[in-house]
Amino acid sequence: MLKKIQSPMESRHKLPSADDSPIAQQAKDLAKDFISYRLGNNPIPVSPTAATLRKLADQIEEQYPLLLNHLCHKLNITPATVYQTFFEIASEVFVDGVNWGRIVALYAFGGKLAMYCDQHHMKELVGSVTDWVGRYVGGLCEWIENHGGWEGLHRQFNDKGENAAWWKGVFLTTLGLGTLAAFMYSR
């Protein structure tokens, strides 16, 4: 089980408080599934939505490998700065509003951040990153519910039938990545 470490920065930058709604719980479950998948520990998705999220995030990483691969390195993440960096990037991703692409981009960033922590002698922070992603996205419950819940993500971007919805999803995700890129280069 992934362990959660509380950062001193959490007192200044607040994540949404814990929400027990089914949508918020699924956001947390998706974060656990996705980050475990990124770390090579969970080959089978926990749900069809988890499989769709993985597929979209994989597509992002294939199309934009340099952005996500270099994001953590450029930001000089340390145990002392990891929470603040996560919170600033998450806030920046959603500064212009919420869409599925931005949600997927945050999961993709969270996966890369967890991998970075795992590979750079900060394994104790992987559980915290997982929690932060789940809580941040869980705080978007109202938007998620208004857009069909998590099943809405799966229905909109599932690769069955026409590929138009799939590529629209990749385009929406690109909007989230554009925000990440702008944030990275402004620092």
Side-chain angles (χ1 to χ4, degrees), residues 7 10 23 28-29 32 50 70 76 84 93 95 101-102 115 120 130 145 155 164 167 169 174 186:
S7 165
E10 289 185 70
I23 290 175
K28 294 171 191 171
D29 293 344
K32 288 176 190 170
H70 292 94
N76 296 318
Q84 179 179 0
V93 166
V95 72
R102 291 178 176 155
M115 285 176 61
H120 289 87
T130 303
E145 185 173 350
R155 278 193 310 272
W167 290 110
T174 303
S186 70

Side-chain angles (χ1 to χ4, degrees), residues 11 14-15 29 40-41 59 64 68 76 78 81 90 108 115 121 128 131 135 137-138 146 149 173 175 180:
S11 62
K14 295 286 186 188
L15 285 172
D29 293 344
N41 300 327
Q59 185 72 30
Y64 303 96
L68 289 174
N76 296 318
T78 67
T81 65
M115 285 176 61
H121 311 292
S128 295
D131 181 62
R135 284 179 50 203
V137 176
N146 290 337
T173 301
L175 294 176
L180 281 178

Side-chain angles (χ1 to χ4, degrees), residues 26 29 40 53 64 97 147 150 158 161 183 186:
Q26 195 167 0
D29 293 344
L53 177 63
Y64 303 96
H147 289 83
W150 286 107
N158 192 0
F183 179 81
S186 70

Side-chain angles (χ1 to χ4, degrees), residues 135-153:
R135 284 179 50 203
Y136 199 98
V137 176
L140 305 172
C141 281
E142 185 176 343
W143 187 93
I144 293 168
E145 185 173 350
N146 290 337
H147 289 83
W150 286 107
E151 293 73 27
L153 173 74

Side-chain angles (χ1 to χ4, degrees), residues 77-156:
I77 292 173
T78 67
T81 65
V82 66
Y83 178 79
Q84 179 179 0
T85 301
F86 170 81
F87 188 84
E88 288 175 358
I89 288 175
S91 298
E92 190 66 28
V93 166
F94 295 102
V95 72
D96 292 327
V98 180
N99 65 42
W100 287 122
R102 291 178 176 155
I103 290 171
V104 172
L106 185 61
Y107 277 101
F109 171 68
K112 280 295 181 184
L113 182 58
M115 285 176 61
Y116 182 88
C117 290
D118 187 61
Q119 295 167 354
H120 289 87
H121 311 292
M122 295 183 280
K123 289 180 190 260
E124 71 278 3
L125 293 173
V126 170
S128 295
V129 172
T130 303
D131 181 62
W132 301 335
V133 172
R135 284 179 50 203
Y136 199 98
V137 176
L140 305 172
C141 281
E142 185 176 343
W143 187 93
I144 293 168
E145 185 173 350
N146 290 337
H147 289 83
W150 286 107
E151 293 73 27
L153 173 74
H154 175 66
R155 278 193 310 272
Q156 185 170 350

